[in-house]
Amino acid sequence: MLVGSAAHAQVPIAAATAGDSLSLETTVRSVLDANPAINALQEEVNQAQSRLDETRTYLKPTVDGTASYTRIDPVVKIPLGDATFQLAPANNYDTHVTARYTVLDFGRANAAINAAKLRALTATDQINVTRRDLAYAAAQSYYSILFAREAIRVQDAQIASLRQHEREMAKRVEGGVSTNFDVTTTQVRIAQAQDRKIDLQSQLRNQEIQLARLLHRPESAVVPVRGRFEYNPQTVNVQDALAKGAENRPEVKLAKDAEEAAAAQLRITETSNKPTLSVLAQAGGKNGYIVPNLERFRFNTVAGAQLNIPIYDGDKNKYQRATAQSAIKGAQARTQDTQEQIRADVLQAVNTMQTSTARYDNSQVQIGQAADALTRAKARYRYGVGNNLDVLDAETQLAQSRLSRLQSIYNYTLGQYQLRRATGEQIW
């Protein structure tokens, strides 16, 4: 078990700033609402449902109407004494309604319906995967923005402290106590700190652009977010997390859908060369009956049955079965690979949280030590028993320790979301 130390209370790094508008919840929900990929997948679900409805019509009878006219010229006439016997009229009319129904197909229609159901289910499950991935990307971008903001504040604090130290040294130079070398060295450290700030500002802007893309807003628009950057340790039971991942991850559901779809396709193949029995009924009217009047339009009916028995297809069905069985084995292998990937995802998330916890504890100690070292270095320098480089090194070490703490909080927070993603828990 990974146990977060109970001694760590929530450590707020910063509160929301004025003008912020998007909390974590609204950020995730806005991304999910704005993304067209989900709408596209929903249309795929609608298409799959329509194909399912179409497949279900195989179980229903079909009825169609037909009307035809045929002109025969010349017509066959047989002379019989003084009379002439005409075998067919020159103008032939035929109208009828035909109903057909498949009585027995040995499960072919049901196999097709089951396969269509699985396709619709797979399309629905794919939406869940996409929503999960988008929610995770939104949360990651959200916390990256908060991290960059706080890191910039740390750099600002370091720059402000160095500038104050520069002003004190300038006074010491005027008094002849220090040299310009100390001032120049401090200015170099200030420039280095400003370089790091520029990098962080670039990182912040990139994350704002990424969030704007997720929200489908113009890249030039700054997307403000608000929230608290906190360290919230939690207890994790690894075995429970592995079990949840194996049961709840949507990828597992998709893999099982693929297995069932492959099995359904095999069933379709197995029934495709089975006999089919269908019946037909037809009612309508036509002329051309010899007795009593060739031109008379008369009501007629037709009824029949048809049995279709496949005899030889050149081993086509045999090879189709082999292909379907291979697809089943491939789907089973992908399911196994998915389970192994889930296990790796859970363990990696837990490892990230463990490492971040250790780094947080270590950074807390470093901050205390660096703050004490800075205080002593300034005092020694003020009384002339220390040098300027000791002060600058202590300033740099304190800033690095604070950034290390921020990085550990950021990594731990993302590790929590990675674990929720790995176990199939809804991110929001």
Side-chain angles (χ1 to χ4, degrees), residues 96-100 278-284 299-306:
H96 59 265
V97 176
T98 304
R100 298 179 181 85
S278 57
V279 295
L280 176 146
Q282 185 180 98
F299 176 76
N300 69 344
T301 60
V302 176
Q306 179 178 340

Side-chain angles (χ1 to χ4, degrees), residues 74-90 288-295:
V75 296
V76 178
K77 298 180 180 180
I78 302 175
L80 295 175
D82 295 335
T84 300
F85 180 73
Q86 185 174 329
L87 295 181
Y289 289 96
I290 297 177
V291 180
N293 183 352
L294 192 64
E295 300 293 342

Side-chain angles (χ1 to χ4, degrees), residues 88-102:
N91 298 304
N92 294 269
Y93 303 93
D94 183 7
T95 61
H96 59 265
V97 176
T98 304
R100 298 179 181 85
Y101 180 66
T102 300

Side-chain angles (χ1 to χ4, degrees), residues 65-362:
T66 303
S68 65
Y69 164 76
T70 304
R71 171 71 182 182
I72 300 177
D73 193 14
V75 296
V76 178
K77 298 180 180 180
I78 302 175
L80 295 175
D82 295 335
T84 300
F85 180 73
Q86 185 174 329
L87 295 181
N91 298 304
N92 294 269
Y93 303 93
D94 183 7
T95 61
H96 59 265
V97 176
T98 304
R100 298 179 181 85
Y101 180 66
T102 300
V103 179
L104 182 63
D105 64 357
F106 291 92
R108 182 183 302 178
N110 287 329
I113 291 172
N114 186 46
K117 285 181 180 178
L118 290 172
R119 285 191 291 268
L121 183 60
T122 299
T124 301
D125 292 337
Q126 186 60 53
I127 289 181
N128 295 332
V129 173
T130 303
R131 289 180 63 87
R132 188 276 317 272
D133 291 343
L134 283 172
Y136 177 78
Q140 185 178 27
S141 183
Y142 172 86
Y143 281 111
S144 295
I145 290 175
L146 293 185
F147 167 76
R149 283 182 182 173
E150 295 306 319
I152 289 172
R153 290 190 178 101
V154 171
Q155 287 301 120
D156 285 338
Q158 181 189 12
I159 292 171
S161 179
L162 288 172
R163 290 195 182 282
Q164 176 64 29
H165 185 62
E166 179 189 16
R167 288 191 291 271
E168 292 177 358
M169 282 189 300
K171 294 179 181 179
R172 292 172 64 89
V173 170
E174 292 176 359
V177 180
S178 296
T179 66
N180 285 326
F181 175 77
D182 291 338
V183 176
T184 302
T185 305
T186 304
Q187 291 173 342
V188 170
R189 292 297 179 93
I190 293 174
Q192 292 174 343
Q194 288 175 331
D195 280 344
R196 288 191 292 270
K197 179 181 177 180
I198 291 172
D199 291 338
L200 290 169
Q201 288 173 330
S202 176
Q203 178 181 340
L204 173 60
R205 181 56 186 154
N206 287 336
Q207 289 300 325
E208 289 174 340
I209 292 173
Q210 173 67 10
L211 183 57
R213 188 195 68 81
L214 291 173
L215 292 168
H216 289 271
R217 298 182 182 180
E219 289 78 3
S220 58
V222 176
V223 182
V225 300
R226 57 183 167 84
R228 301 176 67 87
F229 201 44
E230 300 175 341
Y231 175 61
N232 297 313
Q234 68 180 88
T235 300
V236 179
N237 186 307
V238 178
Q239 295 305 318
D240 287 348
L242 291 172
K244 287 181 180 179
E247 181 180 356
N248 299 329
R249 277 283 286 270
E251 288 89 345
V252 175
K253 187 68 171 62
L254 281 174
K256 292 181 178 179
D257 290 345
E259 284 190 48
E260 294 178 3
Q265 186 59 46
L266 176 60
R267 179 59 180 162
I268 291 176
T269 304
E270 290 173 340
T271 58
S272 64
N273 65 343
K274 297 293 185 181
T276 57
L277 176 63
S278 57
V279 295
L280 176 146
Q282 185 180 98
K286 61 182 293 185
N287 64 344
Y289 289 96
I290 297 177
V291 180
N293 183 352
L294 192 64
E295 300 293 342
R296 181 181 176 184
F297 195 78
R298 302 182 64 184
F299 176 76
N300 69 344
T301 60
V302 176
Q306 179 178 340
L307 177 64
N308 182 23
I309 303 176
I311 297 176
Y312 180 67
D313 63 356
D315 289 334
K316 176 182 177 181
N317 188 262
K318 172 185 174 182
Y319 296 126
Q320 287 177 335
R321 291 189 186 193
T323 301
Q325 289 170 347
S326 177
I328 291 175
K329 293 179 181 178
Q332 290 172 342
R334 285 190 291 273
T335 298
Q336 181 180 357
D337 181 69
T338 300
Q339 294 283 8
E340 293 173 356
Q341 182 61 53
I342 290 171
R343 179 178 179 85
D345 291 343
V346 171
L347 295 179
Q348 287 174 355
V350 170
N351 180 63
T352 297
M353 295 170 67
Q354 286 177 325
T355 304
S356 299
T357 297
R359 287 192 62 185
Y360 178 85
D361 294 340
N362 189 50

Side-chain angles (χ1 to χ4, degrees), residues 382-398:
R382 187 177 300 111
Y383 293 111
V385 295
N387 59 60
N388 182 51
L389 289 178
D390 292 338
V391 177
L392 297 180
D393 289 342
E395 288 276 11
T396 300
Q397 186 59 46
L398 178 59

Side-chain angles (χ1 to χ4, degrees), residues 394-411:
E395 288 276 11
T396 300
Q397 186 59 46
L398 178 59
Q400 290 177 345
S401 298
R402 288 171 175 170
L403 288 175
S404 178
R405 182 178 67 176
L406 278 175
Q407 187 68 55
S408 65
I409 296 173
Y410 172 74
N411 292 341

